[in-house]
Amino acid sequence: MAFADDLLKDAHHLAKRGGRNPRQSSLRRAVSTAYYAVFHLLISDFVAAWPVPEQRARLGRMFEHRKMTATVVDLADKHNPTPVETKLRFLVSTFTQLQKDRNEADYNVARIWTRTDATQTLDLADELFSLWREIRKDKAARNHLMSMLARSK
């Protein structure tokens, strides 16, 4: 996961550039890079466990941004989600917000980003990194990664 970690560090570096007058390009790239850090964190974790090493790069390219945000967490009991299922719901909703922020940063040239805006997005990415590392080995989390690759519903 070194690449994902490096991306997140780069995002923080970009957000801090420029002193009191940060450039829009730095803030926008920070937001976009934070999203891609989480995107690659999830993908690399799934791909690293794939049993056929020569297929891993191809498998990683099969993840689609929209499918990843459109997945629904399968709950064993809809009225009583487990702690991991609750965390997965948060992960999905926050990942979706990061993707919206990235689209806004990359494509809405009318929006003026502040360092506070960018920092809030980076805080979400930091939170997802911690959260994922906490739950990543749980069966429900692993199954959710599979559903992000190919929605079954």
Side-chain angles (χ1 to χ4, degrees), residues 71-127:
T71 58
V72 176
V73 177
D74 286 329
L75 302 176
D77 178 354
K78 292 182 182 183
H79 302 292
N80 191 21
T82 67
V84 170
E85 290 169 341
T86 300
K87 290 173 183 180
L88 280 170
R89 281 180 165 171
F90 177 79
L91 182 137
V92 170
S93 67
T94 305
F95 183 71
T96 301
Q97 182 59 53
L98 287 175
Q99 188 180 81
K100 288 176 184 175
D101 290 353
R102 184 206 49 105
N103 284 329
E104 187 79 4
D106 286 351
Y107 303 113
N108 184 357
V109 295
R111 177 171 176 183
I112 303 300
W113 285 80
T114 66
R115 179 169 281 128
T116 300
D117 295 333
T119 301
Q120 288 172 344
T121 298
L122 270 63
D123 288 346
L124 290 176
D126 288 336
E127 191 170 358

Side-chain angles (χ1 to χ4, degrees), residues 25-100:
S25 60
S26 294
L27 296 175
R28 289 169 181 274
R29 290 310 312 151
V31 168
S32 186
T33 302
Y35 164 77
Y36 280 107
V38 174
F39 177 80
H40 285 287
L41 174 73
L42 297 173
I43 290 172
S44 65
D45 211 18
F46 183 82
V47 169
W50 195 253
V52 185
E54 57 271 9
Q55 294 175 343
R56 290 178 183 160
R58 183 174 177 204
L59 180 64
R61 290 188 302 274
M62 294 171 76
F63 281 87
E64 296 178 23
H65 299 273
R66 283 201 175 114
K67 281 184 183 178
M68 290 177 72
T69 59
T71 58
V72 176
V73 177
D74 286 329
L75 302 176
D77 178 354
K78 292 182 182 183
H79 302 292
N80 191 21
T82 67
V84 170
E85 290 169 341
T86 300
K87 290 173 183 180
L88 280 170
R89 281 180 165 171
F90 177 79
L91 182 137
V92 170
S93 67
T94 305
F95 183 71
T96 301
Q97 182 59 53
L98 287 175
Q99 188 180 81
K100 288 176 184 175

Side-chain angles (χ1 to χ4, degrees), residues 5-31:
D5 291 314
D6 288 347
L7 285 172
L8 190 57
K9 287 177 189 173
D10 290 345
H12 281 282
H13 173 76
L14 286 164
K16 292 175 185 171
R17 290 181 60 183
R20 290 183 180 206
N21 297 307
R23 295 188 322 210
Q24 285 296 295
S25 60
S26 294
L27 296 175
R28 289 169 181 274
R29 290 310 312 151
V31 168

